[in-house]
Amino acid sequence: MPRWRRRSDARPEEILDAALAEFTEKGFETARMEDIAKRAGLSKAGVYLYFESKEALLKALIEAKMTPIAEQASALAAAGAANPKAALSAFARVVVSRAADPKIIAVPRLVLSLSGQFPEIADHYRRHVVEIARAALEALIAAGVARGDFRAVDPKVAARAFIGPFFFEAMWTHILRGETAFNHPDALVEAQIDLLLKGLEAEPRA
Amino acid sequence: MPRWRRRSDARPEEILDAALAEFTEKGFETARMEDIAKRAGLSKAGVYLYFESKEALLKALIEAKMTPIAEQASALAAAGAANPKAALSAFARVVVSRAADPKIIAVPRLVLSLSGQFPEIADHYRRHVVEIARAALEALIAAGVARGDFRAVDPKVAARAFIGPFFFEAMWTHILRGETAFNHPDALVEAQIDLLLKGLEAEPRA
Amino acid sequence: MPRWRRRSDARPEEILDAALAEFTEKGFETARMEDIAKRAGLSKAGVYLYFESKEALLKALIEAKMTPIAEQASALAAAGAANPKAALSAFARVVVSRAADPKIIAVPRLVLSLSGQFPEIADHYRRHVVEIARAALEALIAAGVARGDFRAVDPKVAARAFIGPFFFEAMWTHILRGETAFNHPDALVEAQIDLLLKGLEAEPRA
Amino acid sequence: MPRWRRRSDARPEEILDAALAEFTEKGFETARMEDIAKRAGLSKAGVYLYFESKEALLKALIEAKMTPIAEQASALAAAGAANPKAALSAFARVVVSRAADPKIIAVPRLVLSLSGQFPEIADHYRRHVVEIARAALEALIAAGVARGDFRAVDPKVAARAFIGPFFFEAMWTHILRGETAFNHPDALVEAQIDLLLKGLEAEPRA
DNA sequence: TATGAATGAGTCTTCATTCAT
DNA sequence: AATGAATGAAGACTCATTCAT
């Protein structure tokens, strides 16, 4: 007998959080609706008042947690027309700090895990999150090239070169549970940025 | 009663292949032993003559397919002491060509998918595959730095910068099913290498 | 919040009608209290203000819709002492017209459907409806025999012979959804009556 | 641990019998697969080796038990061209004796019960059983009329008049659990036949 | 070596029913 | 009188695993 019942407004959010935790720990199939329910503080049947099925819960989860990275990204890209180098640094810092939060990294992890079984989820995520972010990044780089701040690199290549390392680091630490090579999270950003900007840097005019 | 007796020594291999295919398509939990068996051309019970359980099958699979990337990698690293730049290019080319083969990419994919449920698998894979490769790469870079071919970069950082983009591309195309930006597989390698080497490049001595 | 208050005295009737419809369409077990409630225009919990349980609702339903066939029947039988042949015709006509109304046929249908699970319902219905009607019919026939209008048939046999065909027709059209062989409902009555009376008819006195 | 396993040939039949019994006693929805399984002497999961689902089991059941009444009926009808009166009597006797067997009456009962939920079952049964039998009966009567044994009645009407009473009796005794009015099963047939033939009888030629 | 038959254990999902408001 | 929220209990169905042959 829960002391407080009747809080239908907060419930969906609580359930989604519980589901994300269980799905991440045990995988979609292995996670039991009952455990999700318990974790969210209601009964198994209660979950079905808010979500049609386990699969619907999964999809709602992805949807809900598809963070407004898109907005942030394009905001950054726009703001970055003025100073591409600084904007790239800022962008990297945001990515790294978000990737460090297990709650946030959990969603892309789940998407990757389930891409075989639910290709439509992978597609959805790619289109609505990754592609947006990638486009923003490419625009940022293209602006830098246009302004003469960067060498005449192909923005597509440079964007991959830029985002890849952070992506790898996230996998390495969170999924493969490898130890990070950096004592301070910012250290990675600094070092990486330094290296990358070097690669992008326009030749000093003679 | 099959008219020609099955060469039972080929069986385990056939089963592993079938399992890999099913696990990749449907995920470990969702894949059914019966389908694996059918795919391998024997009966459900037959699989148990070769593997103790579904989980044992999974682990044997990871183990068996943990390609000799380790050996290759260290061979390359060793050989590369002579010419770090060329060795880096060769390394990248190997990585990209392997990553393009769905059969090969399937294993790391599976490992990533299951890292939540079976952390020991992730650990095993990290230790016996990824760490080896990473170490080889770092050694290669360190050699380049020692020889004065590269700037005095931190090999850890540079290794991440080097491998990350290829890793990202593999995820992007195989898991997220995004379209590649490159018409020819080598095009990515060329462009990426060019960019990266630029970042690594030692300052021209004045 | 309904703008005009529901007349609560009409409620039970509305619920019973809704229940009858749902039970008939889907069967007792398959019908959901929620659907019955929705159909009756109130909430699931609301139904429980009027009926203790689903089973109670069923029983109340049978009870309420156990049409006053009994009274009608005995009235007819009494009136028929004067003219058994005419009374038989009238009786048949009533039976056929009632059987043509899906709302009315629904109840006996339900009783038949549930006779396995709820024998007490079948018993109740038999005793309070069918047996009454049958007795009335037998009395009518006995009267005809006594008056010399009919041959000396066993009323029990004749009553079955009389009612059976109409019963069969109802099953055929409503339950088995067969097409009726008669373009006009009265046609069946006329033809059947003609045939039956022929069988009952007293020999013309030589 | 059953003493005799492995008797895949008899199994389906055993399961169908068990299912028929449970469905009849408790109704389709209320019957539990586990009880059916237990009754058939195997485990719940075992039933699914032979039937896809509960509904498939039901349909297979109807199909399997749709006794060769059709064949019998038409055989009788054919044979009866020679002596319609005798054939009608024989027909009635078969119907009554079959209707007296609870195992046999159970199937049409089930069909009637489920006609609301599964109209396709009712249709199937009507087309493949009832319509066949009815047609045979009509042919028999038509033959009698043609030969001059019977009055010039409409075979459709007469067939209903003929079969209806037996149908009613079956309902009455088996479903409504009413007491039969006849101490000997043949008594009903005799009396009914006598009455019906009287109705059909051709006028003695003056 | 190989398998058809069988099952125990487990999970999703449904629904009649309750109760605080 | 009325209901939205919640749940306990139940049942269909699945599947890894076993075993007699």
Side-chain angles (χ1 to χ4, degrees):
Chain A
M1 51 197 146
R3 273 162 306 173
W4 308 111
R5 311 163 108 235
R6 209 88 7 159
R7 52 216 161 98
S8 155
D9 330 330
R11 273 293 156 81
E13 185 71 19
E14 293 169 348
I15 295 171
L16 289 176
D17 285 344
L20 179 54
E22 293 287 327
F23 288 163
T24 303
E25 277 174 30
K26 315 203 185 135
F28 174 68
E29 284 295 329
T30 309
R32 293 164 59 239
M33 286 299 264
E34 185 152 19
D35 290 338
I36 293 172
K38 203 166 297 168
R39 195 160 189 153
L42 38 51
S43 75
K44 195 178 6 173
V47 176
Y48 287 87
L49 293 177
Y50 299 92
F51 300 96
E52 287 253 307
S53 67
K54 197 182 181 186
E55 195 173 324
L57 177 54
L58 169 67
K59 287 181 175 164
L61 169 62
I62 304 290
E63 194 68 31
K65 304 287 181 186
M66 261 177 15
T67 39
I69 206 174
E71 298 160 25
Q72 296 189 15
S74 47
L76 250 172
N83 186 349
K85 281 193 186 181
L88 270 186
S89 291
F91 189 94
R93 241 173 286 272
V94 168
V95 168
V96 167
S97 80
R98 299 191 73 86
D101 180 346
K103 281 260 228 164
I104 287 181
I105 202 74
V107 178
R109 248 189 100 164
L110 203 49
V111 172
L112 295 184
S113 290
L114 294 170
S115 65
Q117 296 174 67
F118 301 103
E120 70 288 9
I121 291 183
D123 286 345
H124 185 79
Y125 197 81
R126 190 192 70 238
R127 264 198 292 275
H128 295 295
V129 175
V130 189
E131 236 155 40
I132 305 286
R134 193 170 57 75
L137 184 55
E138 289 179 10
L140 199 59
I141 291 168
V145 170
R147 278 180 39 135
D149 290 346
F150 301 148
R151 293 195 290 134
V153 293
D154 178 347
K156 283 190 195 324
V157 174
R160 277 171 171 77
F162 186 84
I163 204 68
F166 300 112
F167 192 61
F168 178 83
E169 182 71 7
M171 289 282 152
W172 176 261
T173 53
H174 290 296
I175 305 191
L176 290 179
R177 309 197 309 175
E179 287 180 33
T180 181
F182 306 91
N183 37 16
H184 186 62
D186 276 356
L188 168 64
V189 179
E190 303 301 344
Q192 207 70 258
I193 287 282
D194 172 67
L195 180 61
L196 291 163
L197 289 186
K198 199 82 190 173
L200 289 177
E201 208 156 66
E203 308 288 330
R205 302 140 220 141
Chain B
M1 48 190 150
R3 272 163 305 175
W4 290 287
R5 250 174 121 35
R6 248 30 194 75
R7 35 312 75 109
S8 69
D9 35 328
R11 274 290 158 82
E13 185 70 17
E14 292 169 348
I15 295 171
L16 290 176
D17 285 345
L20 178 54
E22 292 288 327
F23 288 163
T24 303
E25 275 173 32
K26 313 196 187 142
F28 175 68
E29 283 295 329
T30 309
R32 295 164 62 239
M33 287 298 263
E34 184 152 20
D35 291 339
I36 293 171
K38 202 168 298 167
R39 198 161 187 151
L42 40 49
S43 77
K44 192 166 32 159
V47 175
Y48 286 86
L49 296 174
Y50 298 92
F51 301 95
E52 283 257 308
S53 69
K54 197 183 182 184
E55 196 174 324
L57 176 54
L58 170 67
K59 288 181 174 164
L61 169 63
I62 304 289
E63 195 67 33
K65 305 285 180 186
M66 259 175 18
T67 38
I69 206 175
E71 297 161 24
Q72 295 188 16
S74 46
L76 251 171
N83 187 349
K85 280 194 186 182
L88 270 186
S89 292
F91 189 95
R93 240 174 286 273
V94 168
V95 168
V96 166
S97 79
R98 298 191 74 86
D101 180 347
K103 282 262 230 164
I104 288 181
I105 202 76
V107 178
R109 247 189 101 164
L110 203 50
V111 172
L112 295 184
S113 290
L114 294 171
S115 64
Q117 297 173 67
F118 300 104
E120 70 284 13
I121 290 183
D123 286 346
H124 184 81
Y125 197 81
R126 190 193 69 240
R127 263 199 292 275
H128 295 296
V129 176
V130 190
E131 234 155 40
I132 304 288
R134 193 169 58 76
L137 184 56
E138 289 179 10
L140 199 59
I141 291 169
V145 169
R147 278 181 39 134
D149 289 345
F150 300 149
R151 294 195 290 135
V153 292
D154 178 346
K156 284 192 196 318
V157 175
R160 276 170 172 76
F162 186 83
I163 205 67
F166 300 113
F167 190 62
F168 178 82
E169 183 71 7
M171 290 281 153
W172 176 260
T173 52
H174 290 296
I175 304 192
L176 290 180
R177 308 197 311 174
E179 286 179 35
T180 183
F182 306 92
N183 36 18
H184 186 62
D186 277 357
L188 169 64
V189 179
E190 305 299 345
Q192 208 69 259
I193 287 281
D194 172 68
L195 181 61
L196 289 163
L197 289 187
K198 197 83 191 175
L200 289 177
E201 210 156 64
E203 307 289 330
R205 302 141 218 139
Chain C
M1 47 191 153
R3 271 161 306 173
W4 288 286
R5 250 175 120 36
R6 246 30 192 72
R7 43 299 84 108
S8 70
D9 34 328
R11 273 290 159 82
E13 185 72 17
E14 292 170 346
I15 295 171
L16 289 175
D17 285 344
L20 179 53
E22 292 288 328
F23 288 163
T24 303
E25 276 173 31
K26 315 200 187 140
F28 175 67
E29 284 294 331
T30 308
R32 295 164 61 239
M33 288 297 263
E34 183 152 22
D35 291 338
I36 293 172
K38 202 166 298 168
R39 198 163 187 149
L42 40 49
S43 77
K44 193 166 31 159
V47 175
Y48 287 86
L49 295 175
Y50 298 93
F51 301 95
E52 285 257 307
S53 68
K54 196 181 183 186
E55 195 173 325
L57 176 55
L58 170 67
K59 288 181 174 164
L61 168 63
I62 304 290
E63 195 68 34
K65 305 285 181 186
M66 260 176 15
T67 39
I69 207 174
E71 297 160 24
Q72 293 187 17
S74 48
L76 249 172
N83 187 346
K85 280 193 187 180
L88 270 186
S89 291
F91 188 94
R93 240 173 287 272
V94 168
V95 168
V96 166
S97 79
R98 298 192 73 86
D101 180 348
K103 281 261 228 166
I104 289 182
I105 202 75
V107 178
R109 248 190 100 164
L110 202 50
V111 173
L112 295 183
S113 289
L114 294 171
S115 64
Q117 297 173 67
F118 301 103
E120 72 281 14
I121 290 183
D123 287 345
H124 186 80
Y125 197 80
R126 190 193 69 239
R127 263 199 293 276
H128 296 296
V129 175
V130 189
E131 235 155 38
I132 305 287
R134 192 171 58 76
L137 183 56
E138 289 180 12
L140 199 61
I141 291 168
V145 171
R147 278 179 39 135
D149 289 345
F150 301 148
R151 295 194 288 134
V153 292
D154 178 346
K156 283 191 195 322
V157 175
R160 274 169 174 75
F162 186 83
I163 204 66
F166 300 113
F167 192 61
F168 178 83
E169 183 71 7
M171 290 282 153
W172 176 259
T173 52
H174 290 296
I175 304 192
L176 290 180
R177 308 197 310 174
E179 287 180 33
T180 183
F182 307 92
N183 36 18
H184 186 63
D186 276 357
L188 169 64
V189 179
E190 304 299 344
Q192 207 72 257
I193 287 281
D194 171 69
L195 181 61
L196 289 163
L197 290 186
K198 198 81 190 175
L200 290 176
E201 208 157 66
E203 308 287 331
R205 302 142 217 136
Chain D
M1 51 195 144
R3 270 163 308 172
W4 308 113
R5 310 163 108 236
R6 209 90 4 157
R7 52 216 161 100
S8 153
D9 330 332
R11 275 291 156 83
E13 186 72 19
E14 292 170 349
I15 295 171
L16 289 175
D17 286 344
L20 179 53
E22 292 288 327
F23 288 162
T24 304
E25 276 174 32
K26 315 204 185 134
F28 174 69
E29 283 296 329
T30 308
R32 294 165 58 237
M33 287 298 264
E34 185 153 19
D35 290 339
I36 293 172
K38 204 167 296 171
R39 196 161 190 152
L42 39 49
S43 75
K44 192 178 10 170
V47 176
Y48 288 88
L49 293 178
Y50 299 92
F51 301 96
E52 286 253 308
S53 67
K54 197 181 182 185
E55 195 173 323
L57 176 54
L58 169 68
K59 287 180 175 165
L61 169 62
I62 304 290
E63 195 68 31
K65 304 288 181 185
M66 263 177 10
T67 36
I69 207 174
E71 297 161 25
Q72 294 189 17
S74 47
L76 251 171
N83 187 349
K85 280 194 187 182
L88 271 186
S89 292
F91 189 97
R93 237 173 289 272
V94 168
V95 168
V96 167
S97 79
R98 298 192 73 87
D101 180 347
K103 282 260 230 165
I104 287 180
I105 202 74
V107 179
R109 246 189 101 164
L110 202 50
V111 173
L112 295 184
S113 290
L114 294 172
S115 65
Q117 296 174 66
F118 301 103
E120 68 296 1
I121 290 183
D123 287 344
H124 185 80
Y125 197 80
R126 190 193 70 239
R127 263 199 293 276
H128 295 294
V129 175
V130 189
E131 233 154 41
I132 305 286
R134 192 170 58 76
L137 184 55
E138 288 179 13
L140 201 59
I141 292 169
V145 171
R147 279 180 39 135
D149 289 346
F150 300 149
R151 292 195 290 133
V153 292
D154 178 346
K156 283 189 194 325
V157 175
R160 275 170 173 76
F162 185 84
I163 204 66
F166 301 113
F167 191 63
F168 178 83
E169 182 70 7
M171 289 283 153
W172 176 259
T173 52
H174 290 296
I175 304 191
L176 291 180
R177 307 197 310 174
E179 286 179 34
T180 182
F182 308 91
N183 36 19
H184 186 64
D186 276 357
L188 168 64
V189 179
E190 304 299 345
Q192 207 70 256
I193 286 282
D194 172 68
L195 180 60
L196 290 163
L197 290 186
K198 198 81 189 176
L200 290 176
E201 209 156 64
E203 308 288 329
R205 303 142 217 137

